[in-house]
């Protein structure tokens, strides 16, 4: 199995950019950009965990991978 970082880098660059710029923030009640994120394993792929670029609230985005 690939590491979470290898899985993230296997996604096309433009699609990664779209993911980073489309994370739900419950504080802003809107889709925002994620900042200061780390990539971790998730049961269905990977998860980006970081902070909302607008307000600093903790946010996360799951990226699923097909088996």
């Amino acid at each position: 199995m690939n590491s979470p970082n290898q899985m993230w880098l296997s996604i096309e660059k433009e699609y990664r950019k779209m993911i980073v710029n489309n994370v739900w923030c419950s504080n802003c009640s809107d889709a925002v950009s994620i900042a200061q994120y780390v990539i971790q394993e998730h049961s269905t792929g990977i998860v980006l965990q970081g902070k909302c670029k607008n307000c600093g609230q903790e946010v996360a985005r799951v990226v699923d991978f097909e088996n």
Side-chain angles (χ1 to χ4, degrees), residues 34-40 47-51 58-61:
I34 188 172
Q36 302 172 4
Y37 62 89
V38 295
I39 304 162
Q40 298 181 332
V47 62
L48 308 181
Q49 293 185 317
K51 298 194 179 289
E58 288 190 20
V59 294
R61 171 72 189 254

